[in-house]
Structure formats: C-alpha cells, structure tokens
Amino acid sequence: METSTTVPESVAALHAGIDALTDEVIGGLRAQLPSYAAVPADRLRPRVLASLRNGLSLVQRWSEERRSSRRSGHGDDRAYGIPETHLDEVTALARSLPAEDIISAYRIGTDIVWRRFGEEMAARRGTAEDLLPIAETLRAWVDANTLRIVRSWRVGFPGDRATDRRRAALVRALLLGEARWGTSSPGGAWGTGPAGDGTGEGRGDGGHPDDGAAAEGGYDHGALRLPFRARLPEDPPSGAPDRIPEPGPAPPHAAHLGPGDRAFDRVVALLRPWLALDGGGKPLVTTVDGDVAGLLTGRPGGLCRGLVLGLGAPAPASGLAAEFTRATQALRAAVGFGLVGAFTREELGLRATVVALPAVGEQLVGLRLAPLAERGEDGAQLEEAAAAFLQQGLRLEAAARTLYVHPNTLRNRLRRFEEITGTSLRDPADLAEVWWALTHRRIHGPAS
C-alpha cells in the first residue's frame, strides 16, 4: 500500500517557514494573553521557536508511526512519549507564568499551526484520511504538555512555599522601609529589620548592595517600580442606606489575606499584567494590614473598576517606602470617599491631604465643630445639616430631601450652625475649613 507524502511535505513546508510561523504565534499569544504581552517579544521568541520545532518534528514522527501501526493491523491506543528535555522546558515555564495562561498558549499556538497546516495540505490536495492522523497527534501533543503543566502546578516545587513567604516578607520590608541591604538572609542579598541595622557588608559607596548581590537576591535595587496598595471595593447589602466605607485597615476577615484567599487572588489576577516579577518570574506582592501590596512595572491601563488602588510614583528600592506611604494615603482617601479605581495622592487633591495631615484636621475640628459638642443631640443635628449641605454641592433643597426635612427647617439649622460655630457658609475660607473638619472626622474618627 502506497503512503501519501502530503503530510511530510506539509510539515516540511512549515519547517521552511518557521520564522514567519513563530512571529504569527507570538502575535497571537501577546494579543490574547496579558501575561505574555508583558514579556518582550524577543524573550518569547526562543521558547516559541523551540516549541514549534519540537512539536512539528514530533507530530511528523507520530503520524508516520500511526500510519505504520494501521498498515500492520495494530491498534491505535498508544502512549505518546515527549522527550524529557522538552517537558522540562514546559515545567520551567510554569515557574514564571500562570499555569492557566501556559495551557491557553498551547491551545492558541495549536490553532494557528493547525490552520497553517490545513492550508499546506489543501495546496497539495490532501485527503481527510491524511488529515485525521495529524489532528489526533496534534491533540495528543497538547494534552501531554497540559498534563505536565497541571502536574507541575499541583505538586509544586521543593521549597516553593518557604520561598514565597520569604519573597512576601522581603517585599513588605521594602515597602515599610525595613529592608537591610547587604545582610545575609535565606532569600538573597537583602534582609528585613530596621533600616541601617546591617553591618554594611556588600554595599557600594551609595549604601546599596553591589550588582552581584542584587542579582542574587532577585531584585534590582536600581529598577524603578510603582509601589501599590489595593483592596476590593465593598458591596453594601441590598437595601442598605448609602454610607461612606470605613477607610482604615481592611475588614477583619481579610486579616490573614494571602495566596489561596479569594480576595487576594482576585486582586493579583486583576493586576497581573503590570506586576513586577522577581528573577524567578514570581510577582512581587505581599500583604500589609489585610490589603494587597507590592510593586508594579507601570500604571494599570483602563479604569480598574474592580479595585480600589492607591499608587506611589516610580522609585528605586531606596525610595519605595516613602512612595508606599503616599500610596497608602491615596488608598485610604479613595476608600473614605467611596471611590473605585486607581489613584495617586496628587490625583485625589485635598481628599488625600486630609488623610496625610491629621494634625491640621484635628485643629480645624476644634475650631469649627467643638462648640457643637457642648449641645449634645442638638449640636449633632446641626453638624449633620452642614454635612448634608456640603455633600449636595450647597444645594439647599437637595440637602433637605436627603434629611427628610423642609427646606426652611434646613435653612434655620444652617443659620444656627453659623451662629454657634462663628462660621459663614458664604465665605469660601470658612466653607473649606468646615469641609476639612467634617471630612477629617469621617476619615479619622472622633478625637481620642
């Protein structure tokens, strides 16, 4: 029985055009997978090229073996063996990219290769009988790689959990200003603890580790990174009245937030395309007081409607702690005002300044609101009237509706507020001070 040559000829044609095929696959991966788009194309090319060459060679060999087994009358239930060197490459990928994305990448690449193979077969007038073995072998190749990825992900790598804990602790130390450069630590060339505690070994003239030490620790101290602090927005219960969320630490249920926690994993997934990675390809993330925190390579695109995200400015390792403080202030201000999205402290203007300068706010509370405290419930009612008036943009009737009172009643309460506090709500300076005092109390709570 004569064997068709269309399959080996088509595979040979794909081998001959391997560079163009590689470019097409890389384009498809970067267009559909954010984690692959974050990797430079020149870094993807060697792996994609090797994978295509290995895959095409294996598919050609398997299809020939399958045709031989059919001619000899043997069954088709056979195991497809992939060389361990190729499977080791798959395992290495699972260390640096999300497993689900690697699986998707194989599916995307297979679709492109199958389409191109179909074109080559059609040009040679290949038959359905010719196409069936190649389809089955392509599927077997993808399944074998997928199984390897899943097994690697499930079993994990020796010491991974301990390494993850060290990485999280070191990122937290960087963000909180507790990193000691040049000290000995299990995770690399920088440890944790109060800044300046170390012996100074391994530092250059500028007080940073030398390049070798930095590489050994998996973090480039000169790289500019954006520190962030994030949490998921709160969803008020159905039918609950509108309220300003508490801006302080994350809710108690998030106190043990970390990998495996649904909220943590959701935040990391939303930020994944922009997360900075260590030398092993792992994201530089941790938790601080129940919030997800870490380092980004750039500002997230889009509106980030699924997150409340405070951002600092890009900074080297030595400036991350100061910028993380600003990111924390931005997060607290955004949460305090019920905002959702990504914000820097500058973008939130006075809102963030209220968070950053509590002493000024306390002085204004004493100046503008303290006289009301002496009047008990009546004073609280007058403060509520002023707050509603400001929140409704100085629109009397709108504010009256939110308080369920007649506009004349609200007008009378505002007049009494002015008399008791010595404030004119028509004076922009007085108005700004009242707003600041009310906002301070909402953000920071009553004075101790």
Side-chain angles (χ1 to χ4, degrees):
M1 179 178 179
E2 198 169 318
T3 303
S4 171
T5 61
T6 54
V7 171
E9 288 175 358
S10 297
V11 172
L14 293 182
H15 270 298
I18 194 74
D19 290 334
L21 183 60
T22 300
D23 291 337
E24 187 174 357
V25 171
I26 291 174
L29 298 180
R30 290 169 61 83
Q32 298 183 52
L33 299 172
S35 61
Y36 278 75
V39 180
D42 59 346
R43 288 184 58 192
L44 286 175
R45 169 168 277 278
R47 283 181 166 173
V48 172
L49 181 61
S51 182
L52 287 173
R53 282 176 172 161
N54 288 333
L56 289 173
S57 298
L58 289 169
V59 164
Q60 183 173 6
R61 193 190 78 206
W62 287 344
S63 62
E64 291 172 353
E65 291 175 356
R66 179 178 284 272
R67 286 200 305 274
S68 298
S69 66
R70 284 181 173 176
R71 287 198 306 271
S72 63
H74 295 126
D76 288 338
D77 294 332
R78 61 185 301 281
Y80 291 93
I82 296 181
E84 281 300 316
T85 53
H86 183 53
L87 291 178
D88 288 343
E89 175 69 11
V90 175
T91 301
L93 278 173
R95 295 178 182 268
S96 58
L97 290 168
E100 62 273 18
D101 285 5
I102 301 172
I103 294 171
S104 297
Y106 273 97
R107 299 294 181 186
I108 293 168
T110 300
D111 288 344
I112 294 173
V113 171
W114 177 247
R115 176 176 54 78
R116 290 284 295 109
F117 182 79
E119 293 170 358
E120 294 293 340
M121 290 286 288
R124 291 165 177 77
R125 299 184 180 182
T127 66
E129 187 177 1
D130 293 325
L131 281 169
L132 181 60
I134 201 72
E136 291 176 343
T137 50
L138 268 175
R139 185 188 64 187
W141 177 70
V142 173
D143 288 347
N145 282 294
T146 299
L147 183 61
R148 178 61 173 245
I149 294 167
V150 171
R151 283 176 175 170
S152 297
W153 194 262
R154 182 186 302 165
V155 173
F157 306 99
D160 264 8
R161 291 185 179 180
T163 301
D164 289 346
R165 286 195 296 269
R166 287 198 296 269
R167 183 188 310 107
L170 294 172
V171 173
R172 189 181 304 112
L174 272 177
L175 296 177
L176 300 181
E178 298 172 351
R180 298 196 306 267
W181 293 96
T183 62
S184 176
S185 80
W190 44 281
T192 59
D197 257 0
T199 63
E201 295 177 8
R203 300 182 185 182
D205 293 339
H208 297 295
D210 56 38
D211 291 342
E216 183 181 302
Y219 186 82
D220 179 1
H221 65 266
L224 297 180
R225 299 285 185 252
L226 279 73
F228 76 89
R229 186 165 180 170
R231 68 177 69 164
L232 298 177
E234 292 186 27
D235 294 322
S238 178
D242 291 339
R243 66 178 181 86
I244 298 296
E246 293 297 325
H253 73 270
H256 300 289
L257 201 68
D261 177 272
R262 183 174 298 178
F264 179 93
D265 291 344
R266 174 63 177 160
V267 172
V268 171
L270 289 171
L271 293 175
R272 188 178 295 281
W274 302 279
L275 287 173
L277 307 177
D278 68 3
K282 297 294 185 179
L284 295 171
V285 293
T286 186
T287 58
V288 175
D289 294 334
D291 293 321
V292 182
L295 303 172
L296 304 174
T297 57
R299 178 165 183 149
L303 299 179
C304 289
R305 293 191 182 278
L307 279 179
V308 188
L309 178 65
L311 296 171
S318 59
L320 289 175
E323 290 303 325
F324 182 68
T325 297
R326 298 165 72 86
T328 296
Q329 292 166 352
L331 175 69
R332 292 194 64 198
V335 171
F337 284 89
L339 303 177
V340 175
F343 306 95
T344 64
R345 195 178 81 172
E346 290 72 20
E347 290 167 349
L348 292 172
L350 274 179
R351 294 179 177 90
T353 305
V354 172
V355 174
L357 300 176
V360 174
E362 199 59 44
Q363 290 177 355
L364 293 174
V365 167
L367 177 65
R368 296 302 183 188
L369 302 181
L372 299 174
E374 304 169 2
R375 296 178 176 265
E377 187 64 30
D378 182 53
Q381 190 178 67
L382 299 180
E383 182 178 323
E384 180 186 45
F389 185 55
L390 267 67
Q391 287 173 358
Q392 295 301 317
L394 310 185
R395 294 175 295 148
L396 187 74
E397 292 187 357
R401 284 195 297 271
T402 65
L403 297 174
Y404 302 101
V405 300
H406 193 277
N408 288 339
T409 302
L410 177 58
R411 187 177 288 109
N412 181 58
R413 290 179 184 177
L414 293 176
R415 178 182 57 78
R416 292 177 58 218
F417 176 89
E418 290 179 315
E419 291 174 353
I420 294 170
T421 62
T423 297
S424 171
L425 295 178
R426 295 174 180 80
D427 185 315
D430 285 2
L431 200 63
E433 291 180 351
V434 170
W435 175 87
W436 191 309
L438 291 169
T439 303
H440 170 89
R441 180 165 287 179
R442 188 173 69 219
I443 296 289
H444 296 283
S448 56

